[in-house]
Amino acid sequence: MSVCVGLSVLLLLLGPGPLWACGPGRGGHRVKTPRKLTPLVFMQHIPNMSENTLGASGLAEGKITRQDPRFAELEPNYNSEIIYRDEEGTGADRLMTERLKEKVNTLAISVMNQWPGVKLRVTEGWQEEGILHTQREILHYEGRAVDITTSDRDRSKLGMLARLAVEAGFDWVHYESKSHIHCSVKSESSHSAKSGGCFTADTTVVTSDGHRLPLAELQVGQQVLTFDPQTGRTQYSEVLLWLDRDPDEDRLFVEISTEGGRRLAVTPNHLLLVRRPHGPQAVYAGNVEKGDELLGLDSSSMTSDAVVSVRAVRRRGVFAPLTTAGTLVVDGVGASCYAVVASHPLAHAVFAPFRLLSNAQHAARALWSSAFGGAAVDARSTPPQPVGVHWYAQGLYWVAQRVLPQGMLS
């Protein structure tokens, strides 16, 4: 029953969608016409956000050398329809991640179709030597970026080449130079982490008795410090369940440090509350940048705390509790309990069945206590802690992938 209610809420909140769109033909079907491709202009990049954010290619994870275990993940690309400059003479430009290789090969076909007789030319791929001068270059050192042009080196083609790269599925495309286009992709680990958003084992919450407790020791049913996103006022709320919990899982986290000395490690697709002129807005942790203002705990309310640095770290253990309020104060920072779907209100609404169930259980216990005394209630044993993603969360994400617009999913 709770699944049906949750899914019904999800569909109702979405409102009329493409399936009910007006148009000629049965069921709103319209004949598709070829879309005209518009070249990018000099210095334009798509998407219109920083390269090292979740909505683009994600945070840098560290330079890969030939001695690094991750070097085995780089694959040589021997596609004969691609020309490599290979100025080092080592074949390094051919080495790339599996995802980058897929996009480069797709683009090579598009280039030949757009300009018969012309091939894609890679001028820079994986970098193994030299000094890192800019943050953009770091993805070259990870095998996640290429600089490209065409085999005829016709600069008038660069704008359209950039557009073809966008269509080929690169996660970030930048017409950054009058001699080449820069393209990059997300890491393989960022895709494997889509199942949920979590905090680390040593991330702390404040319990109703005033103690600071690491999530690894938190139990369902405990009261922890949360807050109201609209008013910013803090409150204690019950932990209803674990959306995800696995003490042994190794995962990539975003470590965010603030001006007030707070430091929080969270998965890139988890929602954090960022201060905006019209009120707090939930954004993916992987999209938080230096200068953004997170909500930080100040006495009995939340205040602004500017971000001073963001970096990628790997940690063992993932923990994601769900509270009645749908929020948490973790390591002094205000966060949503939800991830993957880019809407805190929507995610909170579809978990309403668990709040209703919790209220019903409390009412039943109160009735039992008043009728028979509290002994039976007090004798309840602590249930074993679960491991893995909660079944309800998995089901909702499965539905969201098939119903929500792609822009609302990480």
Side-chain angles (χ1 to χ4, degrees), residues 51-52 58-60 132-140 310:
E51 182 177 24
N52 296 122
L59 290 176
L132 179 66
H133 296 290
T134 65
Q135 183 64 25
R136 180 196 61 76
E137 290 178 326
I138 186 62
L139 297 190
H140 279 290
V310 181

Side-chain angles (χ1 to χ4, degrees), residues 131-351:
I131 300 174
L132 179 66
H133 296 290
T134 65
Q135 183 64 25
R136 180 196 61 76
E137 290 178 326
I138 186 62
L139 297 190
H140 279 290
Y141 286 93
E142 295 182 21
R144 292 203 277 138
V146 287
D147 293 340
I148 57 173
T149 182
T150 53
S151 59
D152 59 2
R153 308 186 191 188
D154 182 355
R155 296 187 177 187
S156 67
K157 291 185 172 73
L158 290 179
M160 181 56 73
L161 178 63
R163 173 56 64 184
L164 293 177
V166 173
E167 298 298 312
F170 286 92
D171 296 305
W172 202 71
V173 177
H174 188 196
Y175 189 171
E176 69 171 4
S177 166
K178 292 185 177 180
S179 62
H180 70 261
I181 304 299
H182 174 77
C183 308
S184 60
V185 298
K186 298 179 185 294
S187 71
E188 310 302 320
S189 60
S190 67
H191 284 268
S192 64
K194 278 190 172 183
S195 58
C198 310
F199 306 100
T200 61
D202 57 357
T203 299
T204 60
V205 292
V206 178
T207 58
S208 55
D209 58 7
H211 289 93
R212 192 171 292 276
L213 189 70
L215 290 181
E217 300 177 16
L218 185 65
Q219 297 281 336
V220 170
Q222 287 187 277
Q223 299 279 327
V224 297
L225 189 64
T226 63
F227 65 98
D228 184 332
Q230 300 303 316
T231 65
R233 301 294 295 180
T234 58
Q235 59 195 16
Y236 286 97
S237 299
E238 181 185 0
V239 177
L240 300 177
L241 54 87
W242 289 102
L243 293 171
D244 195 353
R245 184 183 181 280
D246 192 335
D248 298 320
E249 182 175 347
D250 182 76
R251 195 179 291 186
L252 177 72
F253 290 86
V254 177
E255 186 179 78
I256 301 172
S257 300
T258 69
E259 199 171 58
R262 299 176 177 89
R263 182 175 295 173
L264 175 67
V266 58
T267 48
N269 56 354
H270 200 99
L271 295 177
L272 297 181
L273 282 301
V274 175
R275 182 78 70 182
R276 293 288 187 262
H278 56 276
Q281 178 181 339
V283 301
Y284 291 127
N287 287 343
V288 172
E289 300 183 77
K290 183 178 179 180
D292 283 341
E293 293 189 351
L294 298 181
L295 297 183
L297 178 63
D298 181 21
S299 185
S300 61
S301 63
M302 307 301 288
T303 187
S304 299
D305 195 3
V307 174
V308 294
S309 71
V310 181
R311 69 188 186 104
V313 295
R314 297 203 71 87
R315 300 279 174 80
R316 183 173 296 278
V318 291
F319 295 82
L322 172 65
T323 66
T324 305
T327 60
L328 282 166
V329 178
V330 281
D331 288 342
V333 176
S336 168
C337 287
Y338 309 111
V340 181
V341 177
S343 171
H344 173 84
L346 176 59
H348 193 52
V350 296
F351 276 93

Side-chain angles (χ1 to χ4, degrees), residues 371-393:
F372 304 103
V377 175
D378 295 336
R380 288 177 300 148
S381 60
T382 302
Q385 294 279 53
V387 174
V389 180
H390 193 277
W391 61 268
Y392 187 77

